[in-house]
Amino acid sequence: MASRMPVARPGLAFALAVVTAALAAVLMMLMLAPPVEAAGDPIAHVRVAPPNEIVVRLTAPPADPRPEDFRFTEASAPDAPIPVTAVRVEDGNRVRLTLDATVHPSQHYRLEMTRPAGARDVRPSALALMFTIFLSSALINNFVFTRYLGLCVFFGVSKRRETAIGMGITFTAVIIATGMFSWAVFTYVLKPLHLGFLQVVVFIGAVAAVVQFLDTMLKKTHPQLHRGFGVYLMLITTNCIILAVPLLNAAADASAIEAFSLAVGSGVGFALALFLMSCAREKLELARVPKSFEGLPMAFALAGLFALAFMGFSGLDFFR
Amino acid sequence: MSVEPVPAAAPSAGELIRNGILTENPVFRLALSLCPAVAVTTNVTNGIALGLAVLAVQVLSSVTVALTRTRIHPRVRIPVYTLIIAVWVSAIDMTLAAFAPAVYAQVGLYVKLIVAFAIIISRLEMFASRYPLVPSFWDGLGMGLGFLFALMVIGALRELLGNGSILGFQLTPAKPLLFFALPAGGFFSIALLMALFNRIERMMGGTGAPSGGGSHGV
Amino acid sequence: MSPDLPILPAPPRADRGEMFRIAMNLTLFSALAAAILGGVWLATERYAAAARLAGEKRAIGELLGLGESAEVTEVEQFMAAAAREVVYRAHAYGDDAGPVRTVTFSFEGELRGREDLAAPAAAPAGGGAEAALEPLGRMFVARQDGALAGFVVEGEARGYKNRIRFFVALDSAFQVAGVRVLEHEEDPGLGAEIATPWFEGQYIGRSAGDVAKLTVTKDPMPEDWRAALAGLARTPVADWRAKHGALLAREGPKPIYAVTGATISSRALTDGLRTTVDHFRRRWALLGPQLAEGA
């Protein structure tokens, strides 16, 4: 089977190229996004400081700010202002407001000021949002150990470390491509035309199309790579995760950044799960296992132990 | 223009059904379509719901392919099978949403994922594309029943141990072993049941090893 | 019998005619598939929408103990961010073609307008001139035999895993009549226990003022209170309250007992309830008179 072992470095390069290109596109989007503040806006930046404070950085030194100069509301309840109980001026044009309720950086708020007049939407930065979703889909709600998706392929490919790594990399590259393609089709074609009920057909079609495209492209451009990775590509089509990611994005009506983060997170989570499992299974081959448990049953028990361990990630919160 | 010459004799209905439930039980023996087997079986009701959905999709797809296999161009048969399955899955998904909303809220995502199950498309490729309508129907039914049976057993084990109830009827005052209701418990339940099936199969004279194992040869 | 996906051997290069036939074949099947799905969707969408509606109606009826003759008004709240206004659309629940009353307030609570329409405008909120409206939430006002029977407010809380969507029912004196968790993604056996009658029942009977100061304790729940709460699954709320008056009086001033191993989920629901009830009281003070006038 040596000839079927994936050639690690070119494969790595290929996959990394895809991922890097995608990342570069996203970063460019973020950087080229128009600056949020308009000229003459007195508010430079607002930061939520849990449990019940916010820090406002102004463009000019504050002139005797009082609680009644500020109006702070949750974005979803603009008619119910959160009372500001205290105001404290700090150096660097900063004002610290103490509020009568708990606030959290992951929520959306709106701050309005009267003297001088200004307003700002307070929401988590795009990077923070991406990281939260990434962390959630890779660790907290790991697709294999918490959501039990992708098991079919998982147990097949996790026997050896090299194959696990190969599959993990391929999968991450493919899911980013199919995830974003499906997102685009859903957002710009299905949703405006109210064709949501065609989700399943369209997404599986998108998956098949992208996989076929990658397969053909790889066969022409890097035949050697294709021999190593081709079999994984075909397997990916029946992997539940590859369909679950577009479905979840559609159900949550995700934005491009959210969809991208979920795709990357799920790919990395799957790769991580594969890698961990393969390391353990290699050791398992040397162990004495009861006859009835040989093979898959023991692998399942192992997966159960990993799932237990992953439960420990449950309360992980990037913002805390 | 069929795929291959039709084999001499199609197995009988009884054989096909026994095959689906025992010898080639999709979950315990072939180790296919494992995702829902763990995810949805926190209780018996959800397991039955998804099992019935898969049964319906399997039977309907097998029948559809058996009827149209002469019209499908062999070079695009995999995409067409996928399309057929996707159509039936969407139809069942919409029907469940309309007529069983409470259940649908629990298993909705997994019903949509049926389209990615290897078991269904492999059955179509291996059986329904080569045999006429009636044997394909029995084969689909057998596989579907095997899947339903597997989900029910896992669901029963997890609900009984994890919640102390069956089908919603509380049997014990407290939860015996909450662990079984959690994801990790799902994995363990399947491990135990698979081992049990292997043991039974060995006692009945077989090899005791799952013939599939999702190994895909690698 | 290998269940693997077959790796097809590379077929010979197809000629133009062959490719065209393949393409036609695939197109035909796709068109058929789309037609079938469209038909199924048309047939089932009505029922799906009706099922969603029926589920909510039943929940509202059970929470407030409503009878058959009750009338429920649905009030949807929207925000017009640019104009700094909140817009309320009130209409009979489940009747999308009946009369609609629209009341508009500024963010600060000043009445900006009230309009009655015999039938809703051509497009519901979200299209045309109302495109700038962003939905904020819903509340329901129930009347029975001519008197106000209570309110049900839809709320959302940030749970341990994801959002928790719930209904909180208030009687005409703004006391909690019941809580029902509608959607959540908490762990089964742990956080998911907040969606059970015995946890939700703890809030019953507390006044809005109590809810504003409600805390959660990790202390174990007294056995008699737990046994009484378990009965909520089988008994209508009004009967249950009558039967356990003494227990309610004793437990009312106490904090909510958290689910063992799920303190965060318990706190999340309590905090969400507190915010929802507080917002509702504030809004109803402004909205109530506007809906009652000339209704």
Side-chain angles (χ1 to χ4, degrees):
Chain A
M1 291 288 115
S3 60
R4 296 192 69 193
M5 293 260 272
V7 186
R9 287 222 198 97
L12 197 55
F14 159 69
L16 279 179
V18 172
V19 174
T20 314
L23 272 173
V26 170
L27 280 171
M28 265 176 48
M29 258 165 37
L30 288 174
M31 286 194 300
L32 294 177
V36 188
E37 50 205 77
D41 190 347
I43 303 178
H45 182 66
V46 182
R47 180 174 64 91
V48 177
N52 62 343
E53 291 178 338
I54 56 172
V55 179
V56 187
R57 183 160 55 85
L58 304 165
T59 49
D64 186 30
R66 295 188 301 260
E68 48 271 26
D69 297 332
F70 298 93
R71 189 171 196 275
F72 189 70
T73 58
E74 278 184 34
S76 58
D79 54 341
I82 300 174
V84 179
T85 53
V87 175
R88 203 171 73 224
V89 177
E90 296 179 347
D91 49 329
N93 293 346
R94 284 195 178 85
V95 178
R96 182 174 289 258
L97 304 175
T98 312
L99 304 160
D100 191 25
T102 38
V103 288
H104 199 268
S106 63
Q107 301 281 78
H108 291 196
Y109 301 100
R110 187 163 174 78
L111 176 71
E112 288 168 357
M113 246 174 65
T114 47
R115 274 188 325 118
R120 175 61 59 89
D121 283 326
V122 183
R123 51 171 68 125
S125 71
L127 229 60
L129 191 64
M130 277 179 72
F131 201 67
T132 310
I133 297 181
F134 171 80
L135 218 56
S136 164
S137 52
L139 291 177
I140 306 171
N141 287 321
N142 183 287
F143 271 77
V144 176
F145 292 127
T146 314
R147 292 205 232 221
Y148 331 90
L149 294 172
L151 296 179
C152 337
V153 180
F154 178 72
F155 282 106
V157 183
S158 57
K159 287 212 187 108
R160 319 259 304 278
R161 217 179 312 162
E162 288 88 0
T163 57
I165 296 178
M167 182 55 158
I169 295 176
T170 315
F171 181 79
T172 308
V174 172
I175 191 143
I176 294 177
T178 56
M180 292 318 289
F181 181 65
S182 305
W183 174 85
V185 170
F186 179 75
T187 311
Y188 297 118
V189 177
L190 292 185
K191 218 168 58 161
L193 297 176
H194 298 291
L195 290 175
F197 65 92
L198 287 179
Q199 274 181 34
V200 175
V201 181
V202 169
F203 289 156
I204 194 81
V207 168
V210 172
V211 168
Q212 190 62 54
F213 167 73
L214 286 175
D215 185 61
T216 313
M217 192 182 76
L218 208 55
K219 209 186 318 196
K220 301 284 177 171
T221 57
H222 289 97
Q224 201 167 16
L225 258 186
H226 182 260
R227 252 177 295 140
F229 280 95
V231 62
Y232 300 135
L233 272 182
M234 282 304 133
L235 286 180
I236 287 178
T237 325
T238 55
N239 184 330
C240 304
I241 302 183
I242 202 94
L243 190 61
V245 166
L247 284 176
L248 286 171
N249 280 333
D253 212 3
S255 65
I257 292 186
E258 289 170 346
F260 180 74
S261 315
L262 188 71
V264 175
S266 60
V268 170
F270 187 66
L272 179 69
L274 270 180
F275 180 69
L276 291 174
M277 191 68 169
S278 66
C279 292
R281 276 183 96 172
E282 279 190 352
K283 292 256 165 75
L284 194 60
E285 284 179 18
L286 301 172
R288 273 178 48 192
V289 173
K291 189 94 170 66
S292 297
F293 274 88
E294 262 174 25
L296 264 187
M298 196 40 99
F300 262 96
L302 204 53
L305 289 174
F306 275 115
L308 259 184
F310 269 71
M311 262 186 79
F313 286 118
S314 276
L316 196 61
D317 187 341
F318 175 59
F319 293 105
R320 271 203 261 273
Chain B
M1 212 190 342
S2 55
V3 178
E4 285 181 19
V6 177
S12 74
E15 272 170 23
L16 286 171
I17 296 210
R18 212 193 68 166
N19 190 42
I21 298 186
L22 286 177
T23 328
E24 284 198 322
N25 184 295
V27 174
F28 295 130
R29 302 286 302 153
L30 299 182
L32 290 175
S33 309
L34 300 167
C35 318
V38 186
V40 161
T41 49
T42 40
N43 55 52
V44 185
T45 323
N46 289 353
I48 292 183
L50 196 69
L52 286 176
V54 170
L55 177 71
V57 171
Q58 176 79 76
V59 170
L60 290 166
S61 307
S62 290
V63 164
T64 312
V65 168
L67 283 175
T68 57
R69 67 202 163 143
T70 47
R71 303 253 185 281
I72 303 174
H73 195 290
R75 285 195 61 178
V76 288
R77 65 180 194 278
I78 299 291
V80 172
Y81 295 162
T82 312
L83 194 60
I84 291 176
I85 298 175
V87 168
W88 283 120
V89 167
S90 301
I92 299 226
D93 180 73
M94 287 191 259
T95 312
L96 259 184
F99 297 110
V103 166
Y104 183 71
Q106 309 266 336
V107 303
L109 175 67
Y110 294 95
V111 172
K112 292 195 179 71
L113 289 178
I114 294 179
V115 74
F117 290 2
I119 175 68
I120 302 193
I121 201 167
S122 75
R123 243 24 229 181
L124 295 181
E125 166 69 10
M126 282 172 13
F127 203 93
S129 61
R130 303 177 200 178
Y131 291 88
L133 175 59
V134 174
S136 297
F137 172 78
W138 289 118
D139 177 72
L141 191 67
M143 278 294 156
L145 281 177
F147 190 76
L148 175 65
F149 171 65
L151 286 196
M152 274 173 57
V153 170
I154 303 174
L157 179 67
R158 289 181 74 187
E159 190 179 357
L160 199 54
L161 287 178
N163 204 30
S165 63
I166 282 277
L167 282 171
F169 294 113
Q170 197 72 28
L171 293 178
T172 62
K175 302 188 195 327
L177 273 175
L178 178 61
F179 168 72
F180 275 92
L182 298 175
F187 284 110
F188 270 94
S189 311
I190 297 197
L192 291 171
L193 287 169
M194 264 191 186
L196 184 67
F197 260 70
N198 284 348
R199 181 115 177 87
I200 293 178
E201 220 250 355
R202 271 216 325 276
M203 289 193 322
M204 290 195 336
T207 54
S211 49
S215 57
H216 298 281
V218 191
Chain C
M1 273 217 257
S2 161
D4 298 17
L5 257 195
I7 311 262
L8 306 176
R13 246 7 238 127
D15 58 14
R16 277 272 182 82
E18 182 80 0
M19 286 209 289
F20 180 73
R21 270 201 299 279
I22 293 175
M24 283 316 298
N25 195 281
L26 212 46
T27 310
L28 180 68
F29 270 98
S30 305
L32 206 60
I36 294 177
L37 281 181
V40 173
W41 185 81
L42 278 175
T44 56
E45 180 56 16
R46 269 184 308 138
Y47 294 100
R52 284 192 289 268
L53 192 67
E56 275 189 353
K57 248 193 172 151
R58 193 180 31 235
I60 295 175
E62 284 171 5
L63 281 171
L64 288 173
L66 298 176
E68 285 295 319
S69 62
E71 290 164 13
V72 178
T73 308
E74 179 182 3
V75 182
E76 297 165 289
Q77 185 186 15
F78 303 92
M79 165 169 70
R84 298 189 82 247
E85 286 173 349
V86 283
V87 181
Y88 297 96
R89 271 183 86 236
H91 59 95
Y93 186 39
D95 181 9
D96 284 329
V100 177
R101 172 170 290 193
T102 312
V103 185
T104 312
F105 291 96
S106 73
F107 280 173
E108 283 73 22
E110 180 196 317
L111 177 67
R112 290 267 176 91
R114 190 177 86 204
E115 196 186 346
D116 280 325
L117 285 170
E130 299 178 338
L133 289 183
E134 199 187 304
L136 288 185
R138 295 182 304 162
M139 52 192 108
F140 304 88
V141 186
R143 290 201 138 72
Q144 191 158 273
D145 307 324
L148 183 63
F151 314 92
V152 171
V153 188
E154 187 184 44
E156 238 179 61
R158 242 187 81 247
Y160 191 53
K161 283 287 180 71
N162 211 341
R163 306 176 329 171
I164 301 175
R165 205 167 67 88
F166 57 87
F167 273 169
V168 53
L170 303 166
D171 62 18
S172 42
F174 297 105
Q175 279 192 346
V176 177
V179 172
R180 173 101 33 120
V181 173
L182 302 168
E183 263 175 43
H184 69 87
E185 282 180 32
E186 313 293 294
D187 289 319
L190 296 167
E193 293 292 301
I194 61 171
T196 51
W198 71 259
F199 184 80
E200 294 164 342
Q202 293 186 81
Y203 298 98
I204 295 180
R206 305 196 187 231
S207 72
D210 291 341
V211 173
K213 299 192 291 282
L214 206 47
T215 52
V216 172
T217 173
K218 287 194 197 182
D219 294 341
M221 193 184 279
E223 268 313 305
D224 51 357
W225 186 216
R226 176 180 288 270
L229 284 169
L232 256 181
R234 300 178 294 270
T235 330
V237 181
D239 300 342
W240 183 85
R241 282 175 83 160
K243 186 169 161 201
H244 296 285
L247 263 179
L248 273 167
R250 186 190 84 192
E251 296 293 332
K254 298 206 191 143
I256 298 286
Y257 296 101
V259 174
T260 313
T263 319
I264 295 188
S265 304
S266 313
R267 286 212 175 104
L269 182 61
T270 309
D271 290 342
L273 273 172
R274 183 185 318 128
T275 317
T276 306
V277 171
D278 177 58
H279 287 169
F280 174 72
R281 269 210 307 177
R282 188 197 300 254
R283 287 168 181 159
W284 187 252
L286 297 170
L287 184 62
Q290 295 303 321
L291 288 185
E293 242 176 79

